[in-house]
């Protein structure tokens, strides 16, 4: 399989590069059986199962109940903040800062650099909401907890190598396994950073009225899932820490390249399993649900107070087309077409959020990798790429030019 090489950004070719690296391994898997799993949760029953025993542990935004649950969760968080401040519900809240962090693999080094530089600049806010998908999910807990965790965030994106992310499988994995690579090293990497102490910090931040939401994709139900990490951390369930680690792993599990993540659940006394993969299968980045925007607009129309709000979106990738010479081969052509669809979806997500914020009177701010970054991308998770990209993001934040007020046309 030929691999396209970008002179600036892995962007849309990242998934094919990972598949190429995984398929080049010399290990051969015995062609004896397919991976096994328990039965999937029956059709229409996904919302009836729980992992840690709290009703707001996750939401299904494609369903009306999921939208309503998210809106209720936002209101409950705002109420906790007001209670701490000792003000009534009719009092305008303090400024709300909302941060959405996109997927992008190694490009997550850009967002990590922006957040570190932002802290050094001295004007980084405390976020009411942080959301993350894929590599953004790995960034989100550190961004949520604040500048005290900048060193760990930097380490995640400048110290790891491919060996900290995957174990290569043989070419027969395309037929006999659930992914071209085993991502158990990534789970171990996540576990080094996400421990009991960090989970307790997330729970305290949740108590103070702040939200950390992570997106995955449930392939059985063919639905996006938004996990309420603060509520899971607060639950006290013995599997809370493992669940959070698995959610971060699932959000980063590129379908076909990485193994999916199975969640054990019980329904009507019977065991089932849900199969989850990269949240980017549905969206590259998300912020607040439409129901929250509708509530905000209704209050504005009635002359009731609403919190002044700012949206911050970190796009761990480019927004301009990525040129590459495509070989006249089936895999190359198909891979390039899929890459184009993924890239277009990411751009559309940014525009969707921008349009929503304009409608809801939320101040919009966007950071993305510009044409000024020209380091060559040679292979997945190479420090020779991620470290300069981290420095690029940090330098732009320090200069104060990391953010723009609208997506480039």
């Amino acid at each position: 399989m030929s691999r396209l090489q970008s002179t600036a950004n892995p962007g849309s070719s990242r998934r094919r590069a990972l598949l190429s690296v995984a398929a080049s391994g010399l290990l051969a898997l015995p062609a004896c059986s397919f991976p096994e799993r328990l039965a999937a949760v029956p059709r229409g029953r996904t919302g009836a199962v729980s992992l840690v025993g709290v009703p707001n542990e996750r939401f299904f935004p494609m369903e009306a109940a999921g939208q309503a649950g998210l809106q209720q969760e936002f209101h409950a968080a705002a109420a906790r903040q007001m209670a701490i401040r000792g003000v009534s519900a009719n009092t305008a809240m303090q400024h709300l800062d909302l941060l959405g962090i996109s997927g992008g693999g190694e490009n997550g080094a850009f967002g990590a650099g922006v957040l570190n530089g932002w802290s050094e600049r001295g004007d980084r806010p405390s976020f009411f909401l942080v959301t993350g998908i894929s590599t953004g999910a790995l960034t989100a807990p550190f961004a949520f907890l604040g500048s005290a965790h900048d060193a760990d965030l930097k380490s995640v994106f400048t110290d790891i190598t491919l060996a900290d992310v995957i174990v290569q499988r043989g070419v027969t994995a395309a037929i006999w396994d659930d992914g071209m690579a085993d991502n158990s090293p990534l789970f171990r990497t996540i576990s080094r950073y996400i421990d009991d102490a960090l989970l307790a910090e997330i729970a305290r931040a949740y108590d103070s009225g702040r939200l950390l939401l992570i997106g995955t994709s449930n392939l059985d139900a063919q639905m996006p899932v938004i996990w309420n990490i603060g509520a899971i951390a607060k639950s006290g369930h013995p599997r809370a820490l493992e669940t959070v680690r698995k959610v971060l792993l699932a959000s980063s599990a590129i379908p076909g390249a990485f193994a999916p993540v199975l969640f054990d659940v019980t329904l009507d006394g019977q065991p089932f399993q849900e199969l989850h993969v990269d949240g980017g299968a549905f969206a590259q980045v998300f912020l607040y649900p439409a129901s929250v925007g509708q509530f905000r607009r209704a209050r504005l129309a009635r002359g009731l107070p609403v919190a002044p709000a700012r949206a911050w979106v970190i796009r761990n990738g480019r927004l301009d087309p990525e040129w590459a010479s495509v070989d006249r081969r089936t895999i190359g052509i198909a891979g390039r077409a899929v890459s184009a669809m993924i890239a277009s979806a990411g751009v559309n997500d940014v525009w969707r959020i921008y349009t929503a914020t304009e409608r809801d009177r939320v101040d919009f701010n966007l950071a993305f990798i510009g044409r000024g970054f020209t380091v060559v991308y040679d292979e997945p998770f190479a420090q020779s790429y991620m470290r300069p990209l981290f420095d690029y993001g940090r330098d732009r934040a320090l200069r104060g030019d990391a953010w723009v007020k609208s997506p480039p046309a």
Side-chain angles (χ1 to χ4, degrees):
M1 180 189 302
S2 65
R3 189 172 72 228
L4 303 179
Q5 185 183 80
S6 167
T7 59
N9 161 43
S12 60
S13 63
R14 177 173 58 88
R15 282 173 167 79
R16 286 192 309 105
L18 284 167
L19 287 168
S20 179
V21 169
S24 67
L26 297 178
L27 298 176
L29 297 180
C32 54
S33 64
F34 292 108
E36 297 181 355
R37 58 165 293 188
L38 297 180
V41 175
R43 181 192 301 270
R45 300 297 307 279
T46 301
V49 301
S50 173
L51 280 81
V52 298
V54 292
N56 60 338
E57 65 188 29
R58 60 182 183 172
F59 307 98
F60 304 94
M62 290 178 65
E63 298 181 341
Q67 284 281 330
L70 275 166
Q71 181 176 331
Q72 182 178 354
E73 191 66 21
F74 273 70
H75 294 168
R80 291 195 297 274
Q81 283 204 8
M82 288 183 168
I84 290 172
R85 292 176 58 206
V87 298
S88 70
N90 290 325
T91 303
M93 289 187 63
Q94 59 189 356
H95 216 119
L96 297 182
D97 286 283
L98 320 173
L99 174 66
I101 313 171
S102 84
E106 304 86 340
N107 280 345
F110 168 72
V114 168
L115 288 164
N116 270 257
W118 203 356
S119 295
E120 293 179 55
R121 183 178 168 86
D123 55 354
R124 174 176 158 184
S126 174
F127 299 108
F128 167 74
L129 167 71
V130 176
T131 71
I133 281 181
S134 196
T135 197
L138 304 181
T139 304
F142 306 108
F144 180 69
L145 293 177
S147 302
H149 291 270
D150 280 355
D152 283 341
L153 176 58
K154 177 181 179 181
S155 176
V156 168
F157 287 99
T158 61
D159 292 337
I160 66 169
T161 65
L162 186 63
D164 297 304
V165 180
I166 62 170
V167 173
Q168 300 176 22
R169 289 171 170 167
V171 294
T172 56
I175 300 174
W176 298 104
D177 224 307
D178 57 0
M180 294 302 300
D182 174 3
N183 51 352
S184 57
L186 180 56
F187 184 77
R188 291 192 291 271
T189 298
I190 290 170
S191 299
R192 287 202 305 269
Y193 292 95
I194 310 298
D195 56 16
D196 287 310
L198 188 136
L199 198 70
E201 283 191 63
I202 293 174
R204 288 192 293 271
Y206 178 75
D207 277 341
S208 72
R210 299 170 56 222
L211 298 175
L212 172 59
L213 306 177
I214 301 297
T216 68
S217 300
N218 182 329
L219 285 191
D220 296 321
Q222 201 176 40
M223 289 195 304
V225 182
I226 296 177
W227 298 81
N228 192 359
I229 302 301
I232 295 172
K234 177 67 176 176
S235 71
H237 195 281
R239 289 195 302 173
L241 179 59
E242 178 191 14
T243 298
V244 170
R245 289 169 172 172
K246 290 180 70 174
V247 167
L248 299 184
L249 182 67
S251 187
S252 308
I254 303 168
F258 291 173
V261 175
L262 291 168
F263 289 89
D264 296 318
V265 298
T266 302
L267 179 64
D268 299 331
Q270 299 297 317
F272 296 93
Q273 283 183 323
E274 296 180 352
L275 190 147
H276 288 246
V277 297
D278 192 334
F282 283 94
Q284 299 294 307
V285 63
F286 70 102
L287 203 55
Y288 58 85
S291 57
V292 171
Q294 291 166 0
F295 176 81
R296 182 180 177 87
R297 294 195 304 277
R299 288 183 66 86
L300 286 168
R302 294 163 58 192
L304 298 175
V306 296
R310 294 182 295 190
W312 306 91
V313 177
I314 296 178
R315 162 71 174 168
N316 286 310
R318 292 182 172 276
L319 290 177
D320 56 329
E322 179 190 352
W323 184 92
S325 176
V326 181
D327 292 337
R328 190 179 174 185
R329 299 290 186 273
T330 299
I331 292 177
I333 294 170
R336 181 65 170 172
V338 171
S339 296
M341 288 188 286
I342 293 170
S344 297
V347 173
N348 290 338
D349 287 335
V350 169
W351 276 99
R352 172 178 48 80
I353 293 174
Y354 172 69
T355 302
T357 57
E358 286 284 289
R359 178 193 62 205
D360 301 333
R361 301 186 195 175
V362 174
D363 182 48
F364 179 85
N365 303 271
L366 170 68
F368 60 95
I369 300 174
R371 296 179 180 179
F373 183 72
T374 58
V375 175
V376 173
Y377 172 70
D378 289 320
E379 58 185 12
F381 299 97
Q383 293 180 356
S384 60
Y385 177 85
M386 291 188 292
R387 288 179 176 176
L389 182 54
F390 175 91
D391 291 339
Y392 167 79
R394 173 179 172 271
D395 291 344
R396 288 192 58 189
L398 281 171
R399 292 196 305 267
D401 66 358
W403 304 99
V404 298
K405 304 303 294 183
S406 64

